[in-house]
Every structure is written in C-alpha cells, then in structure tokens.
Amino acid sequence: MTQSPSLQTTLQDRVEAGQRLVEPLLKYAQRPDVIVLALPRGGVPVAYQVVKALDVRLDLMLVRKLGVPSNPEFAMGAIASGGIQIRNEDALRAHPISPAAFEAVVARETQELQRREQLYRGARPPLQLKGQVVILIDDGLATGASMMAAIRAVRLQAPARIVVAVPVAPSETVEALSFEVDEVICPLMPEWMMSIGYWYLSFPQTSDEEVIELLHRAWQREAASDASSREPFDD
C-alpha cells in the first residue's frame, strides 16, 4: 500500500488534486497496458490531469452511491456497471429502512447510472480490462462504498493489477481499501473526514458537459497517438 501522506491540508480544486496524484503514479507512465477509470462526475477532472501527464488511456467506471433516504449524502451502499451492488451494513444498522425503500433507491440510481452510461460513453465498446493495470480515480472518498463497488466491477474482468488513487480520504477508508486492491495512493488523509468538499478551496459540482468535454479531449489525444504510432517510416 502506498499512502503518500502530505502535510498540505487543503486542495485548491480538482485540477490541483489530479496533479498531486501524478508523481506517485509516474511508474505507470506511457504504458499501453494501463487504463485510468474515472468515477464520474467529480473524478473525471481529477483523472484527466493524470492521463494528460502520464500519457495513458482514460475511460469511466460508472458508480452510483445509494444514499440513505433521510440523509442522501450518507451511503448505505453503491451500485456499479455490470449489475454490481454492495450494502453498507453499518449504515443500514444506524439508519434502518425497509426493503422496499432500499429497492426504490436502487431503482432510481440504476436509472441514473444507465443515463450517464449512454450520455458519456455513447457507442463506445464495453471496457476490456483483462490483463490490464487499472487505476481507479475519484475526487475523494468518505465511506468508500462507491469505490468498493467500482473495485468489484473491475475485478470481475480479471485485471493484472488494481490501483486506487484519490486525493483525499480518511485513513480507515484507505486501510480498508488496501486489503481489496494492489495499491492505494492518497496524499491527504485527515483524521476526521467531515465531507470531501471541506478539504477543497473550490469544489463546484462537475457538470455533464464538463465530463463529456474532458473525455472527448482524452479520446481524441489517444486516437491521434494511435494513428501516429501506426504511420509507416519514410524510406
């Protein structure tokens, strides 16, 4: 496990957050077997800084938090592409809800996940992760429920290695994830998490339009790089 602790106690914005993940990830630079999967929406601008610096591929891992109805910011579980669903049993004990209420949240978030899948990825083929080094990136973690769902979805495809890289997360979440993946990188690990946005000076909601723009930039650069590598040498 790589924690990469830092004395800095705040992040300027998601751009700086992504830039601070670059150095601990340099060993993965310019490797064709590496793919960065961002958790939208907030993870995309963070991940974009990483793929731009490392010259690696970018795609998405669609995950939706299952918020407690009385406190939507508190995760009682999460879902991910591929039918993955996890439950946060501690949260459900603290905030007991009926099975019907739980399933209603699952149905609503599944609909939103499918909407984002179509909006962001369009006709792009499904992810092929077998034998790949997968770096999962978000703009921060609290309980880690969404990231755990992402990890399980990725693991189903038998990657060679799974790395989690996030700018901020509580130490107990980092420790828990370290048993699930090959490496965890987290520069800022506050003793008390409060909320992810608390540790950013600027933390506006990331829009669908920003996600799409950054993805298309990354995919255009990837396509240009592939075309360049296929060009024959002049005699």
Side-chain angles (χ1 to χ4, degrees), residues 165-200:
V166 293
V168 58
S171 56
E172 61 266 26
T173 298
V174 171
E175 183 178 2
L177 289 175
S178 71
F179 293 104
E180 301 290 333
V181 299
D182 298 285
E183 185 176 7
V184 181
I185 291 168
C186 184
L188 179 56
M189 290 185 289
E191 191 170 340
W192 301 102
M193 187 62 198
M194 303 202 184
S195 68
I196 295 170
Y198 178 86
W199 303 98
Y200 282 80

Side-chain angles (χ1 to χ4, degrees), residues 109-187:
E109 296 301 340
T110 298
Q111 186 176 24
E112 175 62 12
L113 187 149
Q114 292 170 345
R115 181 193 75 85
R116 292 189 181 194
E117 181 91 44
Q118 178 60 37
L119 179 65
Y120 299 157
R121 301 193 76 254
R124 282 178 71 85
L127 294 170
Q128 301 296 325
L129 304 178
K130 184 175 181 179
Q132 302 294 291
V133 175
V134 177
I135 303 175
L136 288 162
I137 292 182
D138 204 351
D139 56 8
L141 303 177
T143 66
S146 296
M147 185 60 76
M148 189 67 72
I151 290 166
R152 293 184 183 178
V154 168
R155 191 182 291 133
L156 287 175
Q157 293 202 40
R161 185 174 179 83
I162 303 177
V163 179
V164 169
V166 293
V168 58
S171 56
E172 61 266 26
T173 298
V174 171
E175 183 178 2
L177 289 175
S178 71
F179 293 104
E180 301 290 333
V181 299
D182 298 285
E183 185 176 7
V184 181
I185 291 168
C186 184

